[in-house]
Amino acid sequence: MRGEPTATKGTTIVGIVCKGGTVLAADTRATLGSMVTSERVTKVFQVDDHLAVAGAGLVGDVLGLVKVLRAEARLYRAKVGREMSVKALATLLSNILNEGRGYAYFAWFLVGGYDSKPALYSIDAAGGLTEERYVAAGSGMEFALAVLEENFSEGMGLDDAVKLAARALKAAIKRDVFTGGRITLVTITEDGYHEMKGEEVEALLQ
């Protein structure tokens, strides 16, 4: 039986595909066992102009893999002359995690972006890859998923998807002790990557 964790963990992440774009969201709390170690951890990362990832799990593993993905995306652009597709980035990450088979990395990722259309993929710690319309991962995922399943609709607009992602994270923060801090909200559309400002997020939560 494993003892208390000895590395800092990030907690809940959410993704939604909607008409016009992909939304990624996360809380900013990190924990060490039952102790809160930070309320300002970044869990959503831009990889390229139209590519982003959100990560839950060991913070060190998430940050390390994001560095690898950014380097691979730059290399791909230099060699091919265009941006990597969302599916290609998700497949690359799946292969990296699968090679570790769960012992090299302890992290769950959402890969979202926009190429010919918005797309969202979920990749677990063993490299299992699924394409999703909406998804949550991390310690508060049950609470976030309950909100997503109740309110998601095919063809919903970007504004509604952003509001839904905020509501899902708010539910996780309210019910899961490991989820907390602020909410990060990111949209990836044909125009590119955009992270909402703190006051914009706060207005959504009122």
Side-chain angles (χ1 to χ4, degrees), residues 18-98:
C18 60
K19 185 178 181 180
T22 302
V23 179
L24 293 176
D27 72 311
T28 58
R29 175 172 291 176
T31 61
L32 182 64
S34 59
M35 180 177 67
V36 175
T37 58
S38 177
E39 297 278 26
R40 297 183 178 183
V41 172
T42 299
K43 303 177 190 176
V44 184
F45 306 88
Q46 183 176 7
V47 175
D48 209 329
D49 292 344
H50 298 82
L51 293 171
V53 298
L58 296 186
V59 173
D61 286 352
V62 171
L63 294 177
L65 282 167
V66 167
K67 290 179 182 178
V68 172
L69 295 177
R70 284 174 169 168
E72 291 288 347
R74 288 194 298 268
L75 183 61
Y76 182 91
R77 186 186 278 272
K79 285 184 175 181
V80 181
R82 65 176 184 272
E83 190 173 22
M84 186 182 290
S85 70
V86 186
K87 184 176 182 180
L89 183 67
T91 301
L92 171 63
L93 179 54
S94 172
N95 291 339
I96 293 171
L97 290 168
N98 184 259

Side-chain angles (χ1 to χ4, degrees), residues 2 5 7-10 55-62 65 97 102-109 124-126:
R2 296 179 64 181
T8 304
K9 291 183 179 180
L58 296 186
V59 173
D61 286 352
V62 171
L65 282 167
L97 290 168
Y103 62 81
Y105 300 101
F106 185 80
W108 192 324
F109 286 90
D124 64 32

Side-chain angles (χ1 to χ4, degrees), residues 18-22 49-51 83 113-119 158 187-194:
C18 60
K19 185 178 181 180
T22 302
D49 292 344
H50 298 82
L51 293 171
E83 190 173 22
Y114 193 107
D115 33 54
S116 60
K117 61 179 182 178
L158 186 63
T187 61
I188 311 101
T189 67
E190 189 175 9
D191 294 329
Y193 177 99
H194 172 70

